[in-house]
Amino acid sequence: MARIFATTNPEVSERELRNGELSRAIAPQGMVLLENNGALPLGGTPGKIALYGNGARRTVKGGTGSGDVNSRSVVNVEQGLEAAGFTIVTKDWIDRDMKAFDDAKYAWSMKLVEAFKKEGRSAIMRIFSDPFIEPAVRPIEDADLKTGETDTAVYVLARNSGEGKDRRDLPGEYELTEEEITAIRKIASAYARTIVVLNVGSVIDMKELLAIEGVDAILLMSQAGNFGGYALADVLTGKAAPSGHLTSTWAVNYTDYPCADTFSHRNGDVDDEYYTEGIYVGYRYFDTFNIAPQYPFGYGKTYTTFTVEPEDVRADEKQVCVRVKVTNTGKLPGREVVQVYYSAPEGALEKPYQELAGYGKTKELAPGGSETLEITFETRSMASFDPQKAAWVLEKGTYYIRAGVHSRATRVIAALKLDDDVVTEQLKNKLLLDCEMKLLSRKGAVPYSYPAEAEEKAKAKVTVLNAGKFDKKVIRYSGSAEVIPKTDKTEKITMEDVRSGRATLDELVSQLTPFEMATLCVGTSRGNFMAEGPQIGAASAACPGAAGDTTSLLLEDRGVRNLILPDGPAGLRLTPVFKVDPAGKIYSVGSPFPGFELLQDMMPKPEIPEDAVTYYQYTTAIPIATLLAQTWDVDAIEAAGDIVGGEMEEFGCDLWLAPGMNIHRNPLCGRNFEYYSEDPLVAGRCAAADTRGVQKHKSAGTTIKHYAFNNQEDNRNHVNSHVDERAIREIYLKGFEIAIKEAQPKSIMTSYNLINGEHTANSYDLINAMARDEWGFEGIVMTDWGTTGDLFGGTVQFKYGNSYASGCVKAGNDLTMPGSEGDVNDILNALDKKAGEVPYPLTLGELQACAKRILKVILQMERD
């Protein structure tokens, strides 16, 4: 009988309240003040206020799909303002808008029900391919204007997106709708003070909004978790000051992005994605090709003003240290972010105009207060990858160090002159391109500049770096896994024997049969997991609503417990209420996926015994990853991870299927809200901080994902990403490398897609050679859910097929999830086969290596 960790107490717990307040305190630090003419903060005693917009009551706490979290309740903007003491005078308008939404949601749900009747459970995939689209916001009539009662209006513009579908460059998604533009224009002309709040998880087009006269402030609330309404009220009233800075470039036009026309569905080809922009992603592109952004990378205002004064730059062949004094010159308290960049010299390799090297954030400074930040980074981190040499190289020349508060506000503060080329790390070429592809080149392009740049370079203090004093690292790659010889011990070895030192882990593994090891390396689902009901990705028997778990086959005789794997990058997604009968059988009450209520009603209902006990497992929805990254505060992100890690301990969860850390390559990616940034340094440091917070709890670990190149959602399972090796290493894998080296997450999840012709789940280069041999990863690797199977029941044909469970073992991908009988059989069938007999022949040693790594993680994560 599975051990149940959930509580039988239905009351709101102290932990829910405590974590909600912690999340509330974190959120303002990642909210970004985009525009403000003095309208914010709202001064005086809260009074009457006019509230409009689709996010007023339907505030989005986080995106859809696996990124959703089942909190007990969500505090919307309306509730947050009322709790702060405001009286909402536009309730009638909000009620009408809400009814229109409810009617549209019901009609969409009925379409799902009809599809379910005709197609069976495979119709559930429509939740991803044909998600609910909100109706147009209700018009604001003259009678809805309450200027006689208040001079202040807040318009909350919300957008939602999620797993399985990319956004479109259309009104209601990336662009504002005509209804939204008309409504904001109307209230802006009527009220003395109009504030627009953006309850969005990713970039939107701002041209129309910025063109409206009378908009006094624009605040990027982002999606702030289940206490988001409270956090927003704190910011609007000045109880908390917004101190966030953007972690992606907001373009003037969507077409300003380098892959705008070829991204995902845009060119009609979702089978092959060509990353022709190479290393020129985000600000690296906008700065190098002098494309003026709407809001640059790193941009953000607050309620006060600051001066940023460089004091000193010290550098040698090991480290660069930048000292910057920040002073609050305004009238209100606040925090400031300082970013340090470098500009590398042109040599054999092209270089972007500048690249982020480090950053820091002040504590809250009172008016007149100062703080000196010391921002350091390794000198070797300025190296570029040279595919011709298969090495990281610092090329001879001058490296200019810059500092500023965003990418278009940096100033040259020092120059480092390297006397010769340096190979800092010698590797081997991996993940080679599978096609001819012409890469974007900066040749002939005139980069961004500013009037004082040439003079700053001429006056910059020069430090000479000696190429001969750099250390060179040479990577030694492991060979094929060797067979662990059978132990001489005849008694059955258990995990307790290993734990106590009476036996080694190798000896335990050597006693396992191929069937036991194959079963250990495959999740517990034993069918088409899409055919098991509407709880997509919710297959754990021990913790209802968790995405899955590992086998209990070895529990009784060897004491090998199963690992519980909950989803949800913004918190734990678990079934909030379930029942357990005296025999230990679990009955879910509702679904871990909101929006499936009508489908749930159609499913056969088991008869629940009257003496079944009801359990509750409500969790905290923390702010989305993009908001966390916008804090530029690793301590705040670590605190968010600590919230999740504590709840994992409470509910008996082991590996959180998060954080997501793919690069914001294009703003239309449907899951950008789950990811941190367009910059790999920011992504890597955020994931490391999140991991440290979670893994403070000994039985909790993170799963950094989606490894890698999961930068689009349309046809995500079968798209072939064509990427050159320099972009692979400098942009798309660098964040994973940083997270592993800084925090050692317990696990990695591979993505669905192919990379240069091979599924990432089956890529030895990606998993063993790079993550383990090059970066020293020590944990387990798992697949994303269903990568080895057909999620569409054979109804859709794809250019590229599925990955293989045997290929996963071959590549060192230890755990195939959620698992099937076919996966186990595929592994067993591939053992001791020759090349050509099966797609991925396996040796016993390769299977043993995967099983051993899983057992090692289980040993590390023993619970009390």
Side-chain angles (χ1 to χ4, degrees), residues 636-653:
I637 300 169
E638 188 170 325
D642 193 14
I643 290 173
V644 176
E647 294 186 359
M648 291 175 71
E649 279 194 322
E650 179 178 340
F651 295 117
C653 300

Side-chain angles (χ1 to χ4, degrees), residues 711-855:
N711 303 105
Q712 75 179 61
E713 286 299 298
D714 287 4
N715 193 35
R716 60 180 177 157
N717 295 70
H718 302 278
V719 64
N720 187 4
S721 298
H722 305 277
V723 194
D724 72 287
E725 190 177 5
R726 185 178 177 194
I728 283 173
R729 290 185 179 277
E730 291 190 17
I731 305 296
Y732 298 101
L733 295 189
K734 177 56 72 171
F736 288 96
E737 177 183 356
I738 291 169
I740 288 168
K741 288 181 175 179
E742 288 192 5
Q744 275 295 340
K746 295 296 184 185
S747 59
I748 297 172
M749 180 193 290
T750 53
S751 52
Y752 286 119
N753 55 278
L754 297 84
I755 173 61
N756 293 333
E758 184 171 40
H759 274 281
T760 61
N762 292 163
S763 174
Y764 182 92
D765 278 1
L766 186 66
I767 297 167
N768 251 10
M770 301 176 92
R772 291 193 172 109
D773 293 340
E774 293 181 7
W775 310 335
F777 177 62
E778 299 173 358
I780 64 170
V781 180
M782 71 179 74
T783 71
D784 205 339
W785 266 230
T787 186
T788 58
D790 183 359
L791 301 183
F792 295 87
T795 60
V796 182
Q797 297 300 312
F798 298 97
K799 179 177 179 180
Y800 300 103
N802 303 312
S803 63
Y804 289 83
S806 55
C808 292
V809 173
K810 189 81 176 176
N813 197 338
D814 308 296
L815 183 58
T816 299
M817 293 300 296
S820 70
E821 199 67 41
D823 291 330
V824 174
N825 291 337
D826 178 40
I827 293 170
L828 294 175
N829 185 56
L831 275 175
D832 300 323
K833 293 294 195 301
K834 297 178 181 178
E837 294 181 328
V838 292
Y840 291 94
L842 292 178
T843 67
L844 180 62
E846 290 166 334
L847 181 56
Q848 287 176 324
C850 290
K852 179 180 176 180
R853 283 189 288 263
I854 293 172
L855 293 173

Side-chain angles (χ1 to χ4, degrees), residues 37 76 91 98 120 166 179 243 421 475 484 510 527 530 633-634 637 647 762 778 795 801-802:
N37 65 6
N76 59 36
K91 289 275 194 177
M98 193 69 204
D166 290 316
E179 291 85 355
S243 60
D421 290 352
I475 297 299
I484 298 173
S510 77
M530 284 309 303
D633 184 341
V634 293
I637 300 169
E647 294 186 359
N762 292 163
E778 299 173 358
T795 60
N802 303 312

Side-chain angles (χ1 to χ4, degrees), residues 38-49 86 151-152 193 195 233 235-239 303 332:
L40 290 177
L42 299 174
T45 303
K48 294 181 178 181
I49 196 167
F86 290 97
D151 65 353
T152 302
R193 181 165 49 182
I195 299 152
V235 169
L236 295 181
T237 60
K239 182 179 178 180
Y303 293 155
L332 293 172

Side-chain angles (χ1 to χ4, degrees), residues 279-579:
I279 60 171
Y280 298 113
V281 177
Y283 69 89
R284 288 169 169 83
Y285 171 76
F286 283 83
D287 293 349
T288 305
F289 292 86
N290 197 19
I291 308 296
Q294 189 73 71
Y295 297 113
F297 173 82
Y299 172 88
K301 296 184 174 184
T302 189
Y303 293 155
T304 188
T305 56
F306 296 93
T307 58
V308 177
E309 302 171 287
E311 291 189 332
D312 186 34
V313 178
R314 302 188 306 276
D316 57 22
E317 290 77 15
K318 299 288 186 182
Q319 183 175 265
V320 179
C321 179
V322 177
R323 286 174 55 87
V324 180
K325 182 180 181 180
V326 181
T327 302
N328 183 345
T329 57
K331 298 179 180 180
L332 293 172
R335 304 180 70 190
E336 182 60 292
V337 173
V338 177
Q339 301 152 38
V340 175
Y341 297 76
Y342 65 89
S343 295
E346 287 284 311
L349 299 171
E350 289 191 12
K351 309 289 171 46
Y353 171 76
Q354 62 182 351
E355 299 181 76
L356 186 68
Y359 54 88
K361 190 171 187 177
T362 68
K363 63 186 179 184
E364 184 169 275
L365 297 177
S370 298
E371 181 179 356
T372 297
L373 297 176
E374 207 169 79
I375 300 168
T376 62
F377 59 94
E378 290 186 356
T379 311
R380 65 190 299 125
S381 70
M382 297 187 293
S384 303
F385 183 76
D386 186 344
Q388 298 301 316
K389 297 179 179 178
W392 288 94
V393 178
L394 284 167
E395 292 193 297
K396 175 182 178 180
T398 301
Y399 292 74
Y400 290 103
I401 307 302
R402 305 171 182 267
V405 295
H406 59 73
S407 65
R408 288 298 175 99
T410 62
R411 295 296 180 262
V412 176
I413 59 173
L416 311 180
K417 190 171 183 179
L418 180 62
D419 61 1
D420 203 355
D421 290 352
V422 176
V423 172
T424 61
E425 188 169 10
Q426 184 63 57
L427 310 170
K428 292 182 179 179
N429 291 115
K430 302 294 178 184
L431 302 177
L432 301 182
L433 261 174
D434 60 338
C435 64
E436 294 291 328
M437 190 170 74
K438 184 178 180 180
L439 294 173
L440 179 66
S441 171
R442 69 173 292 177
K443 291 178 181 177
V446 178
Y448 162 77
S449 187
Y450 51 92
E453 184 173 22
E455 183 180 358
E456 289 171 359
K457 287 182 175 180
K459 292 183 176 180
K461 174 186 173 183
V462 177
T463 299
V464 176
L465 301 178
N466 186 334
K469 293 184 178 180
F470 282 85
D471 295 328
K472 178 181 177 180
K473 183 179 180 181
V474 179
I475 297 299
R476 306 298 179 191
Y477 293 90
S478 58
S480 299
E482 296 183 358
V483 173
I484 298 173
K486 188 81 170 179
T487 179
D488 294 332
K489 295 179 179 177
T490 57
E491 68 278 8
K492 183 168 285 189
I493 297 172
T494 68
M495 288 287 267
E496 181 55 36
D497 293 329
V498 177
R499 198 176 296 111
S500 66
R502 293 189 298 270
T504 67
L505 192 54
D506 277 2
E507 288 175 319
L508 191 159
V509 172
S510 77
Q511 287 188 345
L512 298 180
T513 67
F515 175 77
E516 288 173 324
M517 288 187 288
T519 302
L520 181 61
C521 292
V522 172
T524 57
S525 180
R526 284 298 177 266
N528 178 351
F529 84 103
M530 284 309 303
E532 294 176 357
Q535 301 181 21
I536 303 170
S540 171
C543 185
D549 50 15
T550 59
T551 185
S552 300
L553 176 69
L554 304 175
L555 179 62
E556 293 299 324
D557 62 343
R558 293 192 186 270
V560 178
R561 73 172 183 86
N562 57 335
L563 295 172
I564 308 298
L565 286 56
D567 216 333
L572 303 180
R573 195 194 69 220
L574 304 175
T575 300
V577 184
F578 62 94
K579 293 177 179 287

